Coordinates of all heavy atoms in Angstrom, one line a residue:
M220 N 140.0 44.4 99.8 CA 138.6 44.3 99.9 C 138.1 45.7 100.3 O 138.6 46.4 101.2 CB 138.2 43.3 101.0 CG 136.7 43.3 101.2 SD 136.2 41.8 102.1 CE 136.8 42.2 103.8
N221 N 137.0 46.2 99.6 CA 136.4 47.5 99.9 C 135.3 47.4 100.9 O 134.6 46.4 100.9 CB 135.8 48.1 98.6 CG 136.9 48.5 97.6 OD1 138.0 48.8 98.0 ND2 136.5 48.4 96.3
P222 N 135.3 48.3 101.9 CA 134.2 48.3 102.9 C 132.9 48.6 102.3 O 132.8 49.3 101.2 CB 134.6 49.3 103.9 CG 135.6 50.2 103.2 CD 136.2 49.4 102.1
S223 N 131.8 48.2 102.9 CA 130.5 48.6 102.4 C 130.2 49.9 103.1 O 130.1 50.0 104.3 CB 129.5 47.5 102.8 OG 128.2 48.0 102.5
W224 N 130.1 51.0 102.3 CA 129.9 52.4 102.8 C 128.4 52.6 103.1 O 127.5 52.2 102.4 CB 130.3 53.4 101.8 CG 131.8 53.3 101.6 CD1 132.4 52.7 100.5 CD2 132.9 53.7 102.5 NE1 133.8 52.7 100.7 CE2 134.1 53.3 101.8 CE3 132.9 54.3 103.7 CZ2 135.4 53.7 102.5 CZ3 134.1 54.6 104.3 CH2 135.3 54.2 103.7
T225 N 128.1 53.2 104.3 CA 126.8 53.6 104.7 C 126.8 55.1 104.8 O 127.5 55.7 105.6 CB 126.5 53.0 106.0 OG1 126.6 51.5 105.9 CG2 125.1 53.3 106.5
P226 N 125.9 55.8 104.1 CA 125.8 57.3 104.3 C 125.4 57.6 105.8 O 124.5 56.9 106.3 CB 124.7 57.7 103.3 CG 124.6 56.6 102.3 CD 125.0 55.3 103.1
A227 N 126.0 58.5 106.4 CA 125.7 58.9 107.8 C 125.0 60.2 107.8 O 123.8 60.3 108.3 CB 126.9 58.9 108.6
F228 N 125.6 61.3 107.5 CA 125.0 62.7 107.6 C 125.8 63.6 106.8 O 127.0 63.3 106.4 CB 124.8 63.1 109.0 CG 126.0 62.9 109.8 CD1 127.1 63.7 109.7 CD2 126.1 61.8 110.8 CE1 128.3 63.5 110.6 CE2 127.2 61.6 111.5 CZ 128.3 62.4 111.4
S229 N 125.3 64.8 106.6 CA 126.1 65.9 105.9 C 127.2 66.4 106.7 O 127.1 66.6 107.9 CB 125.1 67.0 105.5 OG 125.8 68.1 105.1
L230 N 128.4 66.6 106.1 CA 129.5 67.1 106.9 C 129.3 68.5 107.4 O 129.8 68.8 108.5 CB 130.7 67.2 105.9 CG 132.1 67.6 106.5 CD1 132.4 66.6 107.7 CD2 133.1 67.6 105.5
S231 N 128.3 69.2 106.8 CA 128.0 70.6 107.4 C 127.3 70.5 108.7 O 127.3 71.5 109.5 CB 127.1 71.3 106.4 OG 125.8 70.7 106.3
S232 N 126.8 69.3 109.1 CA 126.1 69.2 110.4 C 127.1 68.7 111.5 O 126.8 68.5 112.7 CB 125.0 68.2 110.3 OG 125.5 66.8 110.1
L233 N 128.4 68.7 111.1 CA 129.5 68.3 112.1 C 130.6 69.3 112.0 O 131.6 69.0 111.2 CB 129.9 66.8 111.8 CG 131.0 66.2 112.7 CD1 130.4 66.1 114.1 CD2 131.4 64.9 112.2
P234 N 130.5 70.4 112.6 CA 131.6 71.4 112.6 C 132.9 70.9 113.0 O 133.0 69.9 113.9 CB 131.1 72.5 113.5 CG 129.7 72.3 113.7 CD 129.5 70.8 113.5
V235 N 134.0 71.5 112.6 CA 135.3 71.1 113.0 C 135.4 71.3 114.5 O 134.9 72.3 115.1 CB 136.4 72.0 112.3 CG1 137.8 71.8 112.9 CG2 136.4 71.7 110.8
G236 N 136.0 70.3 115.2 CA 136.1 70.3 116.6 C 135.0 69.6 117.4 O 135.0 69.5 118.6
S237 N 134.0 69.1 116.6 CA 132.9 68.5 117.3 C 132.8 67.0 117.0 O 133.5 66.4 116.2 CB 131.6 69.2 116.9 OG 131.3 68.9 115.5
G238 N 131.9 66.4 117.7 CA 131.6 65.0 117.5 C 130.1 64.7 117.4 O 129.4 65.6 117.8
K239 N 129.8 63.7 116.8 CA 128.3 63.4 116.5 C 128.2 61.9 116.6 O 129.0 61.1 116.1 CB 127.9 63.9 115.2 CG 126.5 63.8 114.9 CD 126.1 64.6 113.7 CE 124.6 64.6 113.4 NZ 124.2 65.4 112.3
L240 N 127.0 61.5 117.2 CA 126.7 60.0 117.2 C 125.9 59.7 116.1 O 124.9 60.3 115.6 CB 125.9 59.8 118.5 CG 125.5 58.3 118.8 CD1 126.8 57.4 118.9 CD2 124.6 58.2 120.0
Y241 N 126.3 58.6 115.4 CA 125.5 58.0 114.3 C 125.0 56.6 114.7 O 125.8 55.8 115.2 CB 126.5 57.9 113.1 CG 125.8 57.1 111.9 CD1 124.8 57.6 111.2 CD2 126.3 55.8 111.7 CE1 124.2 56.9 110.2 CE2 125.7 55.0 110.7 CZ 124.6 55.6 109.9 OH 124.1 54.9 108.9
K242 N 123.8 56.4 114.5 CA 123.1 55.1 114.9 C 122.6 54.4 113.6 O 122.0 55.1 112.8 CB 122.0 55.3 115.8 CG 122.4 55.9 117.2 CD 121.1 56.1 118.1 CE 121.5 56.7 119.4 NZ 120.3 57.0 120.2
N243 N 122.9 53.2 113.5 CA 122.5 52.3 112.4 C 122.1 51.0 113.0 O 123.0 50.2 113.2 CB 123.5 52.2 111.3 CG 123.1 51.4 110.1 OD1 121.9 51.2 109.9 ND2 124.0 51.0 109.3
G244 N 120.8 50.8 113.3 CA 120.4 49.6 114.0 C 121.0 49.5 115.4 O 121.0 50.5 116.2
N245 N 121.8 48.4 115.7 CA 122.4 48.3 117.0 C 123.8 48.9 117.0 O 124.5 48.9 118.0 CB 122.5 46.8 117.3 CG 121.2 46.2 117.7 OD1 120.3 46.9 118.2 ND2 121.0 45.0 117.4
D246 N 124.3 49.4 115.8 CA 125.6 50.0 115.8 C 125.5 51.5 116.1 O 124.7 52.2 115.6 CB 126.2 49.9 114.4 CG 126.5 48.5 114.0 OD1 126.9 47.7 114.9 OD2 126.4 48.1 112.8
H247 N 126.3 51.9 117.1 CA 126.4 53.3 117.6 C 127.9 53.7 117.3 O 128.8 53.2 118.0 CB 126.0 53.5 119.0 CG 124.5 53.1 119.2 ND1 123.9 53.5 120.4 CD2 123.6 52.5 118.5 CE1 122.7 53.1 120.3 NE2 122.5 52.5 119.2
V248 N 128.0 54.6 116.5 CA 129.4 55.1 116.1 C 129.6 56.6 116.4 O 128.7 57.4 116.0 CB 129.6 54.9 114.6 CG1 131.0 55.3 114.1 CG2 129.4 53.4 114.2
A249 N 130.6 56.8 117.1 CA 131.0 58.3 117.4 C 131.9 58.7 116.3 O 133.0 58.1 116.1 CB 131.7 58.3 118.8
I250 N 131.5 59.8 115.7 CA 132.3 60.4 114.6 C 132.8 61.8 115.0 O 132.0 62.6 115.5 CB 131.5 60.5 113.3 CG1 131.0 59.1 112.9 CG2 132.3 61.1 112.2 CD1 130.0 59.0 111.7
F251 N 134.1 62.0 114.9 CA 134.7 63.3 115.3 C 135.4 63.9 114.1 O 136.1 63.3 113.4 CB 135.8 62.9 116.4 CG 135.2 62.3 117.6 CD1 135.2 61.0 117.8 CD2 134.7 63.1 118.6 CE1 134.7 60.4 118.9 CE2 134.2 62.5 119.8 CZ 134.1 61.1 119.9
H252 N 135.1 65.3 114.0 CA 135.7 66.1 113.0 C 136.8 66.9 113.7 O 136.7 67.9 114.2 CB 134.7 67.1 112.5 CG 135.0 67.7 111.2 ND1 134.1 68.4 110.5 CD2 136.1 67.8 110.5 CE1 134.6 68.9 109.4 NE2 135.9 68.5 109.4
V253 N 138.0 66.3 113.7 CA 139.1 66.7 114.5 C 139.7 68.0 113.9 O 140.0 69.0 114.6 CB 140.2 65.6 114.5 CG1 141.5 66.1 115.2 CG2 139.7 64.4 115.2
E254 N 139.9 68.1 112.6 CA 140.4 69.3 111.9 C 139.8 69.3 110.5 O 139.2 68.3 110.1 CB 141.9 69.4 111.9 CG 142.6 68.2 111.3 CD 144.1 68.2 111.5 OE1 144.6 68.6 112.6 OE2 144.8 68.0 110.5
A255 N 140.0 70.3 109.8 CA 139.4 70.4 108.4 C 139.7 69.2 107.6 O 140.8 68.7 107.5 CB 140.0 71.7 107.7
N256 N 138.6 68.5 107.2 CA 138.7 67.4 106.4 C 139.3 66.1 107.0 O 139.8 65.2 106.4 CB 139.3 67.6 105.0 CG 138.5 68.7 104.2 OD1 137.3 68.6 104.2 ND2 139.2 69.7 103.7
T257 N 139.4 66.1 108.4 CA 140.0 65.0 109.1 C 138.9 64.5 110.1 O 138.6 65.1 111.0 CB 141.3 65.4 109.8 OG1 142.2 65.9 108.9 CG2 141.8 64.2 110.5
L258 N 138.4 63.3 109.8 CA 137.3 62.7 110.6 C 137.8 61.3 111.0 O 138.5 60.6 110.3 CB 136.1 62.5 109.8 CG 135.4 63.8 109.4 CD1 135.7 64.1 108.0 CD2 133.9 63.8 109.6
Y259 N 137.3 60.9 112.2 CA 137.6 59.6 112.8 C 136.3 59.0 113.3 O 135.5 59.8 113.9 CB 138.7 59.6 113.9 CG 140.0 60.1 113.4 CD1 140.4 61.4 113.7 CD2 140.8 59.3 112.6 CE1 141.7 61.9 113.2 CE2 142.0 59.8 112.2 CZ 142.5 61.1 112.5 OH 143.7 61.5 112.0
A260 N 136.1 57.7 113.2 CA 134.9 57.1 113.7 C 135.3 55.9 114.5 O 136.2 55.1 114.1 CB 134.0 56.6 112.5
I261 N 134.7 55.8 115.7 CA 135.0 54.7 116.6 C 133.7 54.2 117.2 O 132.7 54.9 117.2 CB 135.9 55.2 117.8 CG1 135.2 56.3 118.6 CG2 137.2 55.6 117.3 CD1 135.9 56.5 120.0
D262 N 133.7 53.0 117.7 CA 132.6 52.4 118.4 C 132.3 53.4 119.6 O 133.2 53.8 120.3 CB 132.9 51.0 119.0 CG 131.7 50.3 119.5 OD1 130.7 51.0 120.0 OD2 131.7 49.1 119.5
N263 N 131.0 53.7 119.8 CA 130.6 54.7 120.8 C 130.7 54.1 122.2 O 130.7 54.8 123.2 CB 129.2 55.2 120.6 CG 128.8 56.3 121.5 OD1 129.6 57.2 121.7 ND2 127.7 56.2 122.2
R264 N 130.8 52.8 122.3 CA 130.8 52.1 123.6 C 132.2 51.9 124.1 O 133.1 51.3 123.4 CB 130.1 50.8 123.6 CG 128.6 50.9 123.3 CD 128.0 49.5 123.0 NE 126.6 49.7 122.5 CZ 126.3 49.7 121.2 NH1 127.3 49.6 120.3 NH2 125.1 49.8 120.8
C265 N 132.6 52.4 125.3 CA 133.9 52.2 125.8 C 134.0 50.7 126.0 O 133.2 50.1 126.6 CB 134.1 53.0 127.1 SG 135.7 52.8 127.9
P266 N 135.2 50.1 125.6 CA 135.3 48.7 125.8 C 135.5 48.3 127.2 O 135.3 47.1 127.6 CB 136.6 48.3 125.0 CG 137.3 49.6 124.8 CD 136.3 50.7 124.8
H267 N 135.7 49.2 128.1 CA 135.9 48.9 129.5 C 134.5 48.5 130.2 O 134.4 47.4 130.7 CB 136.5 50.1 130.3 CG 136.7 49.9 131.8 ND1 137.3 48.9 132.3 CD2 136.2 50.6 132.8 CE1 137.3 48.9 133.6 NE2 136.6 50.0 133.9
E268 N 133.6 49.5 130.1 CA 132.2 49.1 130.7 C 131.1 49.6 129.9 O 130.0 49.7 130.3 CB 132.2 49.7 132.1 CG 133.0 49.0 133.1 CD 132.7 49.3 134.5 OE1 131.7 50.0 134.8 OE2 133.5 48.9 135.4
G269 N 131.3 50.0 128.6 CA 130.2 50.4 127.7 C 129.7 51.8 127.8 O 128.7 52.1 127.1
Y270 N 130.4 52.6 128.5 CA 129.9 54.0 128.6 C 130.0 54.7 127.2 O 130.9 54.4 126.5 CB 130.6 54.8 129.7 CG 130.2 54.3 131.1 CD1 131.1 53.5 131.8 CD2 128.9 54.6 131.6 CE1 130.7 53.0 133.1 CE2 128.6 54.1 132.9 CZ 129.5 53.3 133.6 OH 129.2 52.9 134.8
P271 N 129.2 55.7 126.9 CA 129.2 56.4 125.6 C 130.4 57.3 125.5 O 130.6 58.3 126.2 CB 127.9 57.2 125.6 CG 127.5 57.3 127.0 CD 128.1 56.2 127.8
L272 N 131.3 57.0 124.5 CA 132.5 57.7 124.3 C 132.2 59.1 123.7 O 133.0 60.0 123.8 CB 133.5 56.9 123.4 CG 134.1 55.7 124.1 CD1 134.9 54.9 123.1 CD2 134.9 56.2 125.3
I273 N 131.1 59.3 123.0 CA 130.8 60.6 122.5 C 130.7 61.6 123.6 O 130.9 62.8 123.3 CB 129.4 60.5 121.6 CG1 129.2 61.8 120.8 CG2 128.2 60.3 122.5 CD1 130.2 61.9 119.6
Q274 N 130.5 61.2 124.8 CA 130.4 62.2 125.9 C 131.8 62.4 126.5 O 131.9 63.2 127.4 CB 129.5 61.7 127.0 CG 128.0 61.6 126.4 CD 127.1 61.1 127.5 OE1 127.4 60.9 128.7 NE2 125.9 60.7 127.1
G275 N 132.8 61.8 126.0 CA 134.1 62.0 126.5 C 134.7 63.3 126.1 O 134.2 64.1 125.3
S276 N 135.9 63.6 126.6 CA 136.6 64.8 126.3 C 137.7 64.5 125.3 O 138.3 63.4 125.3 CB 137.2 65.5 127.5 OG 138.1 64.7 128.1
R277 N 138.0 65.4 124.4 CA 139.0 65.2 123.3 C 140.0 66.3 123.3 O 139.6 67.4 123.4 CB 138.2 65.1 122.0 CG 139.2 64.6 120.8 CD 138.5 64.6 119.5 NE 137.8 65.9 119.2 CZ 138.4 66.9 118.7 NH1 139.7 66.9 118.6 NH2 137.7 68.0 118.4
K278 N 141.2 65.9 123.1 CA 142.3 66.8 123.0 C 143.1 66.3 121.8 O 143.7 65.3 121.8 CB 143.2 66.9 124.2 CG 144.2 68.0 124.2 CD 144.9 68.1 125.6 CE 145.5 69.4 125.8 NZ 146.2 69.6 127.1
G279 N 143.0 67.0 120.7 CA 143.6 66.5 119.4 C 143.0 65.2 119.0 O 141.7 65.1 118.9
C280 N 143.8 64.1 118.9 CA 143.3 62.8 118.5 C 143.2 61.9 119.7 O 143.0 60.7 119.5 CB 144.2 62.2 117.4 SG 144.0 63.1 115.8
I281 N 143.2 62.4 120.9 CA 143.1 61.6 122.1 C 141.8 61.9 122.7 O 141.4 63.0 123.0 CB 144.2 61.9 123.1 CG1 145.6 61.7 122.4 CG2 144.1 61.0 124.3 CD1 145.9 60.3 121.8
L282 N 141.0 60.8 122.9 CA 139.7 60.8 123.5 C 139.7 60.2 124.8 O 140.3 59.1 125.0 CB 138.7 60.1 122.6 CG 137.2 60.1 123.1 CD1 136.6 61.5 123.0 CD2 136.4 59.0 122.4
T283 N 139.2 60.9 125.8 CA 139.2 60.3 127.2 C 137.8 60.0 127.6 O 136.8 60.9 127.6 CB 139.8 61.4 128.2 OG1 141.1 61.7 127.8 CG2 139.8 60.8 129.6
C284 N 137.5 58.8 128.0 CA 136.3 58.4 128.5 C 136.0 59.0 129.9 O 136.9 59.0 130.7 CB 136.2 56.8 128.7 SG 134.6 56.3 129.4
C285 N 134.9 59.7 130.0 CA 134.7 60.6 131.2 C 134.4 59.7 132.5 O 134.3 60.3 133.5 CB 133.7 61.7 131.0 SG 132.1 61.1 130.4
W286 N 134.1 58.4 132.3 CA 133.8 57.6 133.5 C 135.0 57.0 134.2 O 135.0 57.0 135.4 CB 132.8 56.5 133.1 CG 131.4 57.0 133.0 CD1 130.5 57.1 134.1 CD2 130.8 57.7 131.9 NE1 129.3 57.7 133.7 CE2 129.4 58.1 132.3 CE3 131.1 57.9 130.6 CZ2 128.6 58.7 131.5 CZ3 130.2 58.6 129.8 CH2 129.0 59.0 130.3
H287 N 135.9 56.5 133.5 CA 137.1 55.9 134.1 C 138.4 56.3 133.6 O 139.4 55.6 133.9 CB 137.0 54.3 134.0 CG 135.8 53.7 134.7 ND1 134.6 53.3 134.0 CD2 135.5 53.6 136.0 CE1 133.7 52.9 134.8 NE2 134.2 53.0 136.0
N288 N 138.4 57.4 132.9 CA 139.7 58.0 132.4 C 140.5 57.2 131.4 O 141.7 57.4 131.2 CB 140.5 58.4 133.6 CG 141.5 59.6 133.2 OD1 141.1 60.5 132.5 ND2 142.7 59.5 133.8
Y289 N 139.8 56.2 130.8 CA 140.5 55.5 129.7 C 140.8 56.5 128.6 O 139.9 57.3 128.3 CB 139.7 54.3 129.2 CG 139.9 53.0 130.0 CD1 140.0 53.0 131.4 CD2 139.8 51.8 129.3 CE1 140.2 51.8 132.1 CE2 140.0 50.6 130.1 CZ 140.2 50.6 131.4 OH 140.3 49.5 132.1
K290 N 141.9 56.4 127.9 CA 142.2 57.3 126.8 C 142.5 56.4 125.5 O 143.2 55.4 125.6 CB 143.5 58.1 127.2 CG 143.3 59.0 128.4 CD 144.5 59.8 128.6 CE 144.4 60.7 129.9 NZ 143.1 61.4 130.1
F291 N 142.0 57.0 124.4 CA 142.0 56.2 123.1 C 142.6 57.2 122.1 O 142.2 58.3 122.0 CB 140.6 55.7 122.7 CG 140.0 54.9 123.8 CD1 139.1 55.4 124.7 CD2 140.3 53.5 123.8 CE1 138.5 54.6 125.6 CE2 139.7 52.7 124.8 CZ 138.8 53.2 125.7
N292 N 143.4 56.6 121.2 CA 143.9 57.3 120.0 C 142.8 57.2 119.0 O 142.5 56.0 118.5 CB 145.2 56.7 119.6 CG 145.8 57.5 118.4 OD1 145.1 58.1 117.5 ND2 147.1 57.6 118.4
L293 N 142.2 58.2 118.5 CA 141.2 58.1 117.5 C 141.6 57.6 116.1 O 140.9 57.0 115.3 CB 140.5 59.6 117.3 CG 139.7 60.1 118.4 CD1 139.3 61.5 118.2 CD2 138.5 59.2 118.7
K294 N 143.0 57.8 115.8 CA 143.5 57.4 114.6 C 143.5 55.9 114.3 O 143.2 55.4 113.3 CB 144.9 57.9 114.5 CG 145.1 59.3 114.3 CD 146.5 59.7 114.2 CE 146.7 61.2 114.2 NZ 148.1 61.7 114.0
N295 N 143.7 55.1 115.5 CA 143.8 53.7 115.3 C 143.0 52.9 116.4 O 143.0 51.7 116.4 CB 145.2 53.2 115.3 CG 146.0 53.6 116.5 OD1 145.4 53.9 117.5 ND2 147.3 53.7 116.4
G296 N 142.4 53.6 117.3 CA 141.6 53.0 118.4 C 142.4 52.4 119.5 O 141.9 51.9 120.5
S297 N 143.7 52.6 119.5 CA 144.6 52.0 120.6 C 144.3 52.7 121.9 O 144.1 53.9 122.0 CB 146.1 52.2 120.2 OG 146.5 53.5 120.2
C298 N 144.4 51.9 122.9 CA 144.1 52.4 124.3 C 145.5 52.8 124.8 O 146.3 52.0 125.0 CB 143.5 51.3 125.1 SG 143.0 51.9 126.8
I299 N 145.6 54.1 125.2 CA 146.9 54.5 125.7 C 146.9 54.7 127.2 O 147.9 55.0 127.8 CB 147.3 55.8 125.0 CG1 146.3 56.9 125.1 CG2 147.7 55.6 123.5 CD1 146.7 58.2 124.5
M300 N 145.7 54.6 127.8 CA 145.6 54.6 129.2 C 144.4 53.7 129.5 O 143.2 54.1 129.3 CB 145.5 56.0 129.8 CG 145.4 56.0 131.3 SD 145.5 57.7 131.9 CE 145.5 57.4 133.6
G301 N 144.6 52.5 130.0 CA 143.6 51.5 130.2 C 144.1 50.2 129.6 O 145.3 50.0 129.5
E302 N 143.1 49.3 129.4 CA 143.4 48.0 128.9 C 143.0 47.5 127.6 O 143.6 46.6 127.1 CB 142.9 47.1 130.0 CG 143.5 47.3 131.4 CD 142.7 46.6 132.5 OE1 141.8 45.8 132.1 OE2 143.1 46.8 133.7
E303 N 141.9 48.1 127.0 CA 141.3 47.5 125.8 C 141.2 48.6 124.7 O 140.8 49.7 125.0 CB 140.0 47.0 126.1 CG 139.9 45.9 127.2 CD 138.5 45.6 127.6 OE1 137.8 45.0 126.8 OE2 138.1 46.0 128.7
D304 N 141.6 48.2 123.5 CA 141.4 49.2 122.4 C 139.9 49.2 122.0 O 139.1 48.4 122.3 CB 142.2 48.6 121.2 CG 143.7 48.6 121.4 OD1 144.2 49.2 122.3 OD2 144.4 47.9 120.6
V305 N 139.6 50.4 121.3 CA 138.2 50.6 120.8 C 138.2 50.3 119.3 O 139.2 50.6 118.6 CB 137.7 51.9 121.2 CG1 138.5 53.1 120.5 CG2 136.2 52.1 121.0
R306 N 137.1 49.8 118.8 CA 137.0 49.5 117.4 C 136.9 50.9 116.6 O 136.2 51.8 117.0 CB 135.8 48.7 117.1 CG 135.6 48.4 115.7 CD 134.4 47.5 115.4 NE 134.3 47.2 114.0 CZ 133.4 46.6 113.4 NH1 132.4 46.0 114.1 NH2 133.4 46.4 112.1
T307 N 137.6 50.9 115.5 CA 137.6 52.1 114.6 C 136.8 51.7 113.3 O 136.8 50.5 113.0 CB 138.9 52.6 114.3 OG1 139.7 51.6 113.6 CG2 139.7 53.1 115.5
Y308 N 136.4 52.7 112.6 CA 135.7 52.5 111.3 C 136.3 53.4 110.3 O 136.7 54.6 110.6 CB 134.2 52.7 111.5 CG 133.5 51.9 112.4 CD1 133.4 52.3 113.7 CD2 132.9 50.7 112.0 CE1 132.7 51.5 114.7 CE2 132.2 49.9 112.9 CZ 132.1 50.3 114.3 OH 131.5 49.5 115.1
P309 N 136.4 53.0 109.0 CA 136.9 53.9 108.0 C 135.8 55.0 107.7 O 134.6 54.8 107.9 CB 137.1 53.0 106.8 CG 136.2 51.8 107.0 CD 136.1 51.7 108.5
V310 N 136.3 56.1 107.4 CA 135.4 57.3 107.1 C 135.8 57.9 105.8 O 137.0 58.0 105.4 CB 135.5 58.4 108.2 CG1 134.7 59.6 107.9 CG2 135.3 57.8 109.5
R311 N 134.8 58.3 105.0 CA 135.1 59.1 103.8 C 134.0 60.1 103.6 O 132.9 59.9 104.1 CB 135.2 58.2 102.6 CG 133.9 57.6 102.1 CD 134.1 56.8 100.9 NE 132.7 56.4 100.4 CZ 132.5 55.8 99.3 NH1 133.5 55.5 98.5 NH2 131.3 55.4 98.9
T312 N 134.4 61.2 102.9 CA 133.3 62.2 102.6 C 133.2 62.2 101.1 O 134.1 62.1 100.3 CB 133.7 63.6 103.0 OG1 134.9 63.9 102.5 CG2 133.8 63.7 104.6
V313 N 131.9 62.3 100.7 CA 131.6 62.4 99.2 C 130.6 63.6 99.0 O 129.6 63.6 99.6 CB 130.9 61.1 98.7 CG1 130.5 61.2 97.2 CG2 131.8 59.9 99.0
D314 N 131.1 64.6 98.3 CA 130.3 65.8 98.1 C 129.7 66.3 99.4 O 128.5 66.8 99.4 CB 129.1 65.4 97.1 CG 129.6 65.0 95.8 OD1 130.6 65.5 95.4 OD2 128.9 64.1 95.2
G315 N 130.5 66.4 100.4 CA 130.1 67.0 101.7 C 129.1 66.0 102.5 O 128.6 66.4 103.5

């Protein structure tokens, strides 16, 4: 089954090493440009208490929630320090 794709923004507005929040109605998705042509998207709300993950710190593919130090793998959303995984979303780029 193919996901329903929603255009978010131009890749040029998300430099390598940065993150950007994408809002679509009630959905808030944190998108990270980890390295050239490698992007990951996760639910912006930390599953622990709902704090915005876009404000967390990132080292490689590990994102740390700055409120309670929960750590998430951006590749698959698994929680590597804490209790709950975060939802991930597929990402693709088309013509930048």
Side-chain angles (χ1 to χ4, degrees):
M220 178 167 70
N221 293 332
S223 175
W224 297 102
T225 302
F228 45 77
S229 170
L230 186 58
S231 64
S232 70
L233 184 64
V235 172
S237 67
K239 187 171 184 173
L240 181 62
Y241 170 71
K242 296 178 183 179
N243 183 16
N245 290 329
D246 294 326
H247 294 194
V248 178
I250 302 173
F251 297 93
H252 196 171
V253 176
E254 57 188 44
N256 300 315
T257 303
L258 294 101
Y259 297 104
I261 62 170
D262 190 332
N263 188 48
R264 294 172 192 93
C265 180
H267 176 59
E268 289 193 11
Y270 291 105
L272 290 174
I273 195 69
Q274 295 178 11
S276 62
R277 187 182 55 77
K278 192 174 201 179
C280 289
I281 304 302
L282 178 71
T283 302
C284 178
C285 58
W286 277 270
H287 295 106
N288 205 36
Y289 275 37
K290 297 182 185 314
F291 304 95
N292 185 327
L293 293 175
K294 293 179 182 181
N295 58 20
S297 65
C298 186
I299 56 175
M300 184 169 181
E302 301 168 2
E303 302 170 72
D304 296 344
V305 67
R306 181 177 179 182
T307 61
Y308 299 90
V310 178
R311 72 176 184 172
T312 57
V313 177
D314 299 327

